Amino acid sequence: MPQAPLNESEHESILTDRGERTLDVGRDRPIRISSGHRILHHNGKCSRPHGHNYEIQVSLTGELTEEGWIADKGDITSIISEWDHMFLLQDGDPLIEAFEASGDGDAVLVLDYPPTAEVMSAVLEEQLLEELGNNVTDVTVEVSETGQLCASGSL
């Protein structure tokens, strides 16, 4: 049997009286991006330019907005897709100049730290927390570089 529609005060209480909620994006079907990087001061093969097909999962905690969500999934995926088909390099890496000289400087994302999965996770968490609404109180981003390497944290 169909339920009667909520009146305005019942609708407001659903949005305001429920406390913090959690939104998971990419839990069952991760967000996929392809990016290149190198770890400049690494002593092994990761010091060479190479790439990965990253899988990313995001978990947000916060209050519901008037629209009835913590954040728009499209905003989340848009922020992450800015990293897709980019080359991630640490500030000071000579490859930055090589990309610029070849006319591909716009394909480089320069980070203050080595572009590891752990750093990617932390930077994306900061970026999402900064760019999403003030109602978002916690962000966790999990970045899987390979089936054997996954990094996450929480802001």
Side-chain angles (χ1 to χ4, degrees):
M1 174 178 282
Q3 247 183 339
L6 300 174
N7 65 40
E8 191 172 322
S9 65
E10 289 173 324
H11 177 71
E12 272 192 38
S13 69
I14 285 177
L15 296 180
T16 59
D17 296 343
R18 300 290 187 206
E20 289 193 328
R21 312 296 291 173
T22 299
L23 171 67
D24 292 314
V25 178
R27 181 177 58 193
D28 296 325
R29 286 189 22 211
I31 303 163
R32 290 181 169 83
I33 62 169
S34 299
S35 299
H37 74 150
R38 78 167 176 173
I39 311 301
L40 185 59
H41 301 292
H42 190 269
N43 291 329
K45 63 183 179 180
C46 292
S47 66
R48 295 181 176 271
H50 63 285
H52 298 282
N53 294 313
Y54 293 96
E55 293 186 346
I56 299 173
Q57 300 173 42
V58 176
S59 182
L60 302 177
T61 302
E63 301 283 338
L64 295 177
T65 64
E66 288 181 13
E67 292 85 7
W69 55 39
I70 298 168
D72 185 333
K73 177 186 176 279
D75 293 341
I76 296 164
T77 56
S78 176
I79 291 166
I80 292 169
S81 68
E82 292 172 8
W83 293 55
D84 191 27
H85 286 79
M86 298 295 283
F87 209 89
L88 314 176
L89 294 170
Q90 183 176 359
D91 190 25
D93 189 318
L95 275 182
I96 297 168
E97 290 179 23
F99 271 92
E100 289 171 352
S102 72
D104 287 325
D106 61 343
V108 175
L109 184 63
V110 179
L111 303 173
D112 291 332
Y113 304 97
T116 61
E118 296 90 338
V119 168
M120 287 177 67
S121 173
V123 171
L124 282 167
E125 286 167 357
E126 282 185 13
Q127 192 174 5
L128 287 163
L129 194 58
E130 186 178 296
E131 294 186 30
L132 297 175
N134 292 335
N135 62 308
V136 176
T137 58
D138 186 59
V139 177
T140 301
V141 175
E142 183 176 293
V143 175
S144 296
E145 187 175 278
T146 68
Q148 300 174 334
L149 180 72
C150 179
S152 67
S154 182
L155 264 187

